[in-house]
Amino acid sequence: MKFSMFFQWKPTLLILLGLFLRCEAKVNTEIQAGPLYRVVGSRLSISCSASGFSNPSLKKDFEIRMKDPARPSLEINVISTQDPGFSYNRFRARVQSKDVFITYVNPNSITFEIKNLRKEDEGEYECTVVNPVSTYDGSYTAMTDVKVIDNSLSVTSGESTTSLSYNEGEALTLTCQASTNTIQHVHLSFAWYLRKDGAQDAKPIISLDRDFTLAPGQGFEHRYSEEAISLDKLGETTYRLKMTELELSDQGQIYCQAQEWIQDPDRSWYMIAKKDAEEIPLVVKAKVVTDISAVEVSLSAQNTVQEGQELLLSCGINAHNLAKRFFSVAWLREGTELVRIGSTGILTVRQEYSDREKDGELKAKRTAYSNYQLRIKPVRTTDGGSYSCRAWPEERGEDGSFNEGAAQNSQPVEVKISTPESGLSVKLQNMKPALSPGEKLRLICEADGVKGQLSVAWQRKTIVSKSPLFTNVISLRQNGVTEKTEAFANREVRVMRPTTESFVFELDDVAESDSGIYACTVSEMQSNGKTQSQTQNANVTVKSIDSVVKVSLRNRDPSVIVGNDVHLMCKVSSLRIPTTVTWSQQTEDYNLNTILVLYSNGSISWSGDQHRYQVAVDNRGDTVMHYLKVLRASRREAGTYQCIVSVFMHNIHKRLAESYPVKVMVQNPESKLALSSSPTITQSINADIQIDCKVTSRTSEISLYAVTWELQQEHGNKIILTSDHNAIITSEPQIKPSHGQRISMKRTEGPTFELTIRQVKISDTGLYVCKVVEYLQDSRGEWYSLPQKNSTTELNVTEIETNLSIKNIEAGINVSNSKEFSIPCHITQQSSNESQFQVTWFWQKNTTAKPIFTAYRNSTLQAIDKNVAVTYDHPLPGQFDLTVNAENSGLYFCEVEEWLYSLANGWRKVAVEKSGNLNVTVDSEGQVKAMSGLACGAGTWIPIYAVSVFILICIILVLTWKMCRRKTSGGKNSAQTLWTEQQTLNPNTEL
């Protein structure tokens, strides 16, 4: 049974399989979904593929076009694989230089690429596959949006780019700042790289990917697992690299790199920007392991030193064979190295003490094989603290280089600096203890009791610094020379001396990281050659930028009509901080688009259609008003707007609090469309009718209209015809072709929409609803619809009014047996001139009527009772006579059917009428008496009969001529067209 069922279903399965394959064979073109956000200068890559061709191995040709947001109705040819001259001038040179090109992935798939993306490349891109055959089946075009935004990625190193020198086994700590001002949702990945000496490519040391996952580079896995290498993120922008023990292989160029990633609509991540910080040379010196017990280090110093006097720190080394060995010696204060004497006698001074070393206040030297001295004169009160000495044995290699051994520290010595009685005093005044970001720090240091020449040094210790030492900022010597430290080389910092005894320190554009303790040290050179110094500190606080910048956004009207302007106002309270303002719009499909970026220097970067917007700025001191006007808004301008404020201070982007989103609704104008039509139309069947739907009022003089005619009946509603706003008329599939041929629609002046139904039928009765949708054009040239308006006309189709009338006379006669008598059937009135008639004569005995003879409308005659001899006569169009040979008494009468023809229904019977009764009595003696009182002599019938025969012959001739001309109007019977009396007839009742 199963076997037989399979063979029964086999043809059906084959048919379904064929239909499935045919469905799959339709061409489908796909392109990478948008919007795709890319930065200026980056590489744009868009994939496009086509499927469903009958020959997939045939290499297809592709064409790329784009639409500029400023002119969305204009298509610009970009590149084609088929036609080298396809490109417009805008892209021709770039195509020829291979900046814009297409790469085949396979015969049915390509990749469209732009190497160096420009701002004007933003727009809607269309990929079209060229159809290699003559027939079209499917979709050959796909489109995607490309948004081009500014590259705001910033990467800077926290250390000086000068060479770093470390010994093998020492710890290295580096910091790097990375930030971006992109308003779209992006992730940053970060990595530290090392380009070893002699290597061409850099290798990653450690990286933090966009998902915040740490991964060591190749060759650094073991040290990472031992926690000898780490990468930490400090705050929002700072990344710190720690290497606890440097190796000789770590020598080379070290730098940091940041990458900016964005997620495309297909959920894949794409790198839109990459930037490297400057490379820092790193030198790692080798060390030699020696016996620590063979080296002893000691430190001697005065426990108390008076300010201005000399502090002597003597470092002693006790080891075997000192005269033939080399050592490096360093002095440390509070665990921080101050000065180092290398194995070759080279002096290295910490940056904070470099100025004092240049001024001769700090000196270090080896006085003997076992003794090293550090002298500080004049000593300052800030020089007090815990001191220690550290020594490294050095071994010279065959190449002359030194290898450093293990370090040995002395015991710490506590040194106190006392202040002698002196007339010099210093007063430090902070003009504004709490500053806002971007403001100027101004400190005034005043000296009193001055007797000699003065110099001043400004130092600071920030709250984010972990070092206990103050860092030099700037100094002013006695000879008036100003020296600025390298850390402040790119900062606007200055020291001024408005009077002999006062010094003014100014630091511009302060940030929160500038908060801390600032020290002013005034030194006086006395006549005896001694130096007296006094120091005063001041706390400086710089507020968080988030606490001082406030942003608010509002609009003049939350809802505007299409074509009207949108006014947005963004209030930024920034205390004169240079800010960057970004205007953004989130569309109703949740795409975040940048409209423009207004930078702090006044430059504007447009991302949208510049011609659709106007921007203005009103600077009111501490408050800046930013205005954005959207000109002649369309539905595309609806959405949520924000103004986003950021600052770029010290090479770092700082995103501030965004304004609350403001929703802008763009509504259609109120429709003024009004329609009028006849409420009721009554018409007879087979007539042509016209239903008018007139527009009496409209919203615009350039409106377009989409019209739908719907027929509503008890058994359901159906759409008859539709016309879109481009006046393309379509009929609905549910309308039968025969019905659709009778219906048409057109538009006339007014406008008026006319529905014409030819040869109406009873089934056409119902409510005809004219549904009109008005279309208006917005500023982008796009058409949008207003609410639908309806107008209803009731159509009543009635049967044709019948006016058939037959001469109706009741009469009776007596007639002799076998004599003839005439039964007249005269039509006095008919419904139409096109009417045709079917006449049947009956004989009725008692209550039963029996047909005798029928003359059909197609001139076919039929004798029904073959026992009755009859003679048929049709002398005039409305006169039908039947002469019967008298044999049976009874009632004789005729019945007339009226027929009309229509294209929709063909021939149909519209009326039936019956004549009066003729009561005939057959008398065997042959005496005839008129029961109505009318008596006729037998001699009278003879001339009448002769005249009747003559007339009948004439009628026969006329009918013969007419039937030859009317064969097509009355039917298709091939029977004889004329029957004479007593001729046998074949019955034919179907018409």
Side-chain angles (χ1 to χ4, degrees):
M1 181 65 180
K2 292 181 178 179
F3 185 80
S4 61
M5 285 297 293
F6 172 77
F7 277 94
Q8 291 177 5
W9 281 95
K10 185 176 180 180
T12 304
L13 291 174
L14 291 175
I15 293 173
L16 292 175
L17 179 60
L19 291 175
F20 173 77
L21 292 176
R22 174 174 175 80
C23 179
E24 289 296 319
K26 288 186 177 179
V27 175
N28 183 35
T29 304
E30 294 181 336
I31 195 171
Q32 190 172 348
L36 303 176
Y37 294 93
R38 303 293 184 262
V39 301
V40 175
S42 67
R43 191 185 193 98
L44 171 66
S45 178
I46 301 176
S47 60
C48 179
S49 62
S51 60
F53 284 101
S54 58
N55 187 1
S57 61
L58 178 65
K59 191 174 184 179
K60 310 301 184 302
D61 283 307
F62 290 84
E63 296 174 346
I64 303 295
R65 297 176 178 85
M66 68 98 62
K67 293 181 179 178
D68 194 313
R71 303 179 66 184
S73 60
L74 177 63
E75 283 191 343
I76 302 172
N77 292 354
V78 180
I79 190 172
S80 169
T81 61
Q82 184 182 35
D83 182 9
F86 178 80
S87 307
Y88 285 179
N89 288 335
R90 180 167 172 174
F91 288 93
R92 185 167 300 160
R94 298 170 68 186
V95 170
Q96 293 173 352
S97 64
K98 303 300 181 181
D99 182 54
V100 177
F101 60 95
I102 289 177
T103 303
Y104 272 95
V105 179
N106 56 52
N108 301 291
S109 179
I110 63 164
T111 301
F112 166 70
E113 295 187 60
I114 299 178
K115 288 183 180 179
N116 187 17
L117 200 60
R118 301 177 183 176
K119 200 79 171 181
E120 59 266 23
D121 293 333
E122 178 172 322
E124 188 176 41
Y125 283 79
E126 177 186 83
C127 175
T128 302
V129 59
V130 179
N131 188 15
V133 296
S134 58
T135 58
Y136 285 82
D137 184 16
S139 173
Y140 295 80
T141 297
M143 308 186 78
T144 190
D145 280 331
V146 174
K147 305 289 186 180
V148 182
I149 59 179
D150 291 339
N151 187 353
S152 60
L153 182 62
S154 174
V155 181
T156 56
S157 176
E159 280 72 30
S160 171
T161 57
T162 57
S163 177
L164 301 177
S165 179
Y166 286 84
N167 295 315
E168 180 184 5
E170 288 186 328
L172 171 68
T173 300
L174 297 174
T175 58
C176 193
Q177 288 79 36
S179 60
T180 180
N181 196 41
T182 304
I183 66 171
Q184 284 75 24
H185 179 69
V186 295
H187 286 186
L188 292 184
S189 62
F190 188 88
W192 285 94
Y193 282 85
L194 174 64
R195 180 181 287 106
K196 297 183 178 181
D197 291 342
Q200 183 176 1
D201 297 327
K203 301 295 182 181
I205 302 172
I206 190 171
S207 62
L208 179 68
D209 68 12
R210 62 175 181 269
D211 297 322
F212 308 105
T213 302
L214 278 173
Q218 185 178 3
F220 293 91
E221 296 90 347
H222 179 72
R223 296 166 68 182
Y224 174 74
S225 64
E226 297 291 331
E227 298 184 354
I229 297 177
S230 64
L231 173 59
D232 301 311
K233 185 176 181 183
L234 309 176
E236 296 181 0
T237 61
T238 302
Y239 299 83
R240 182 178 63 193
L241 170 68
K242 277 188 176 182
M243 303 177 72
T244 57
E245 294 184 7
L246 287 173
E247 298 179 0
L248 292 177
S249 59
D250 296 332
Q251 182 166 301
Q253 304 289 322
I254 192 169
Y255 65 94
C256 60
Q257 180 189 91
Q259 298 176 349
E260 187 174 7
W261 297 78
I262 194 168
Q263 192 172 31
D264 288 338
D266 62 0
R267 312 303 296 173
S268 65
W269 286 90
Y270 187 87
M271 185 181 68
I272 59 175
K274 178 176 68 175
K275 189 169 289 186
D276 298 337
E278 293 186 27
E279 297 183 358
I280 303 174
L282 174 63
V283 177
V284 181
K285 298 178 182 179
K287 70 177 181 179
V288 175
V289 179
T290 59
D291 186 5
I292 297 178
S293 62
V295 178
E296 294 181 0
V297 181
S298 61
L299 177 66
S300 61
Q302 310 99 306
N303 294 109
T304 303
V305 180
Q306 193 177 49
E307 183 185 11
Q309 298 299 315
E310 180 181 81
L311 172 63
L312 176 62
L313 300 169
S314 296
C315 185
I317 299 176
N318 184 15
H320 178 68
N321 199 13
L322 282 174
K324 296 182 179 181
R325 298 180 65 178
F326 297 90
F327 291 89
S328 292
V329 178
W331 287 266
L332 295 84
R333 176 175 172 269
E334 304 293 347
T336 301
E337 183 177 309
L338 305 180
V339 180
R340 178 187 294 200
I341 299 177
S343 58
T344 59
I346 298 176
L347 183 66
T348 304
V349 181
R350 186 176 178 85
Q351 184 179 3
E352 288 84 346
Y353 286 82
S354 59
D355 291 342
R356 298 178 70 179
E357 189 269 335
K358 293 177 183 178
D359 293 339
E361 296 181 10
L362 185 148
K363 296 178 182 180
K365 66 179 181 177
R366 189 180 74 169
T367 59
Y369 290 124
S370 60
N371 187 262
Y372 296 79
Q373 291 183 351
L374 172 63
R375 296 177 181 272
I376 302 176
K377 183 182 179 181
V379 69
R380 303 175 183 176
T381 56
T382 56
D383 293 330
S386 176
Y387 286 84
S388 63
C389 180
R390 179 179 295 169
W392 295 268
E394 302 273 1
E395 295 293 336
R396 174 176 287 179
E398 295 180 358
D399 58 353
S401 62
F402 286 92
N403 296 320
E404 189 177 84
Q408 180 69 19
N409 294 333
S410 69
Q411 292 296 322
V413 176
E414 190 72 26
V415 177
K416 295 183 179 180
I417 309 300
S418 62
T419 305
E421 294 183 2
S422 170
L424 179 65
S425 64
V426 175
K427 179 181 178 183
L428 181 59
Q429 181 181 5
N430 186 358
M431 302 304 297
K432 194 173 184 181
L435 298 170
S436 297
E439 289 188 322
K440 179 190 296 184
L441 170 63
R442 183 180 173 88
L443 302 174
I444 300 176
C445 190
E446 295 181 344
D448 192 18
V450 178
K451 299 179 181 179
Q453 295 182 344
L454 299 179
S455 63
V456 65
W458 292 92
Q459 298 173 305
R460 77 173 185 178
K461 182 170 62 176
T462 61
I463 57 176
V464 296
S465 174
K466 295 184 179 181
S467 173
L469 302 178
F470 279 81
T471 302
N472 291 333
V473 179
I474 193 172
S475 62
L476 178 63
R477 296 185 180 183
Q478 298 172 357
N479 58 4
V481 177
T482 302
E483 290 188 1
K484 187 165 57 172
T485 59
E486 185 178 355
F488 289 83
N490 297 323
R491 297 288 301 273
E492 290 293 330
V493 59
R494 68 193 68 87
V495 59
M496 299 172 290
R497 190 175 185 179
T499 64
T500 305
E501 300 176 351
S502 64
F503 302 90
V504 177
F505 170 82
E506 291 183 347
L507 177 63
D508 293 346
D509 194 22
V510 295
E512 187 179 3
S513 58
D514 292 320
S515 299
I517 301 174
Y518 285 74
C520 168
T521 301
V522 178
S523 300
E524 181 185 25
M525 180 65 71
Q526 298 179 347
S527 58
N528 58 5
K530 296 182 179 181
T531 302
Q532 184 72 33
S533 300
Q534 289 289 336
T535 302
Q536 285 293 327
N537 299 337
N539 290 322
V540 174
T541 301
V542 182
K543 299 177 183 177
S544 167
I545 193 169
D546 294 316
S547 65
V548 297
V549 177
K550 304 297 181 183
V551 183
S552 63
L553 177 64
R554 61 188 179 93
N555 59 346
R556 186 173 298 175
D557 191 350
S559 177
V560 298
I561 304 299
V562 173
N564 291 349
D565 296 340
V566 177
H567 297 269
L568 298 171
M569 291 154 283
C570 180
K571 180 181 179 181
V572 181
S573 302
S574 61
L575 298 177
R576 303 182 184 274
I577 300 175
T579 57
T580 296
V581 176
T582 301
W583 287 96
S584 68
Q585 177 211 14
Q586 187 176 45
T587 59
E588 294 178 347
D589 54 0
Y590 301 104
N591 289 326
L592 183 60
N593 298 326
T594 301
I595 299 173
L596 65 94
V597 180
L598 179 61
Y599 292 99
S600 56
N601 60 2
S603 62
I604 301 178
S605 175
W606 292 92
S607 295
D609 180 10
Q610 179 178 351
H611 301 88
R612 303 198 60 79
Y613 304 94
Q614 286 183 357
V615 64
V617 179
D618 182 11
N619 193 336
R620 303 176 181 177
D622 293 343
T623 300
V624 181
M625 297 296 298
H626 296 265
Y627 300 93
L628 178 69
K629 181 190 290 187
V630 184
L631 304 176
R632 300 181 62 198
S634 66
R635 296 298 294 269
R636 290 195 183 187
E637 277 67 57
T640 302
Y641 286 78
Q642 277 188 302
C643 66
I644 304 168
V645 178
S646 63
V647 295
F648 187 65
M649 300 181 67
H650 309 156
N651 297 321
I652 297 176
H653 288 286
K654 174 66 176 177
R655 178 83 63 84
L656 305 181
E658 301 175 353
S659 69
Y660 287 109
V662 171
K663 188 167 185 177
V664 173
M665 295 179 291
V666 181
Q667 297 180 341
N668 294 337
E670 183 179 354
S671 177
K672 298 179 181 179
L673 180 65
L675 307 174
S676 69
S677 59
S678 300
T680 304
I681 296 178
T682 302
Q683 186 59 270
S684 301
I685 195 169
N686 296 327
D688 294 344
I689 63 102
Q690 176 180 301
I691 304 176
D692 292 338
C693 180
K694 185 177 181 180
V695 176
T696 58
S697 175
R698 50 187 168 182
T699 309
S700 172
E701 293 297 324
I702 60 172
S703 298
L704 298 182
Y705 305 92
V707 182
T708 300
W709 285 96
E710 182 183 65
L711 173 59
Q712 298 180 355
Q713 296 174 319
E714 292 183 358
H715 55 273
N717 303 337
K718 58 183 177 182
I719 303 298
I720 302 174
L721 289 176
T722 60
S723 172
D724 62 14
H725 65 281
N726 293 320
I728 299 177
I729 300 175
T730 56
S731 58
E732 296 300 314
Q734 57 184 321
I735 302 299
K736 297 179 180 179
S738 59
H739 192 189
Q741 293 174 359
R742 297 188 300 111
I743 302 175
S744 63
M745 179 174 61
K746 69 176 181 178
R747 171 179 171 171
T748 60
E749 292 295 330
T752 298
F753 307 101
E754 299 177 356
L755 178 68
T756 301
I757 306 177
R758 292 176 293 277
Q759 299 291 324
V760 293
K761 301 186 294 185
I762 297 298
S763 59
D764 293 329
T765 299
L767 296 177
Y768 285 80
V769 182
C770 171
K771 299 180 178 181
V772 179
V773 177
E774 187 177 18
Y775 281 80
L776 302 179
Q777 193 174 32
D778 62 19
S779 58
R780 291 182 178 267
E782 298 176 349
W783 292 93
Y784 64 94
S785 61
L786 298 182
Q788 175 181 287
K789 296 295 181 69
N790 300 340
S791 180
T792 303
T793 297
E794 182 179 4
L795 174 62
N796 296 315
V797 180
T798 62
E799 295 284 356
I800 296 177
E801 184 179 355
T802 58
N803 295 319
L804 180 63
S805 178
I806 302 175
K807 189 174 183 180
N808 191 350
I809 299 178
E810 300 287 338
I813 60 172
N814 290 337
V815 63
S816 321
N817 190 16
S818 301
K819 296 296 182 178
E820 295 178 344
F821 63 91
S822 176
I823 306 173
C825 191
H826 296 170
I827 299 172
T828 59
Q829 190 174 0
Q830 62 189 51
S831 301
S832 172
N833 293 331
E834 302 295 329
S835 299
Q836 294 188 9
F837 304 97
Q838 175 179 307
V839 183
T840 303
W841 282 268
F842 293 85
W843 168 63
Q844 181 177 343
K845 188 67 174 177
N846 297 326
T847 59
T848 303
K850 180 180 179 182
I852 303 172
F853 185 86
T854 298
Y856 293 99
R857 56 181 174 79
N858 59 357
S859 300
T860 302
L861 307 178
Q862 180 184 17
I864 300 172
D865 189 349
K866 297 182 179 179
N867 297 321
V868 178
V870 297
T871 301
Y872 171 75
D873 188 15
H874 183 30
L876 294 174
Q879 294 185 8
F880 301 86
D881 292 317
L882 185 69
T883 301
V884 181
N885 191 16
E887 292 181 0
N888 300 312
S889 298
L891 298 177
Y892 290 82
F893 61 89
C894 71
E895 185 180 83
V896 178
E897 295 180 1
E898 186 178 21
W899 292 72
L900 283 174
Y901 179 79
S902 68
L903 293 175
N905 301 307
W907 287 98
R908 55 191 300 272
K909 181 169 59 177
V910 297
V912 178
E913 290 290 337
K914 177 177 171 294
S915 68
N917 295 324
L918 177 63
N919 191 355
V920 177
T921 303
V922 179
D923 187 1
S924 59
E925 297 179 357
Q927 185 179 5
V928 181
K929 297 180 180 179
M931 297 179 65
S932 62
L934 299 176
C936 297
T940 306
W941 288 97
I942 296 174
I944 294 175
Y945 178 76
V947 173
S948 298
V949 171
F950 175 77
I951 294 173
L952 182 59
I953 294 172
C954 294
I955 291 173
I956 291 172
L957 294 175
V958 172
L959 288 175
T960 302
W961 177 75
K962 290 183 67 178
M963 289 183 63
C964 292
R965 295 176 55 89
R966 295 176 56 187
K967 286 183 179 181
T968 60
S969 64
K972 301 299 180 181
N973 293 327
S974 60
Q976 296 179 357
T977 60
L978 183 63
W979 298 86
T980 58
E981 57 181 326
Q982 297 181 354
Q983 185 172 353
T984 303
L985 303 175
N986 293 325
N988 185 8
T989 60
E990 295 183 3
L991 302 179

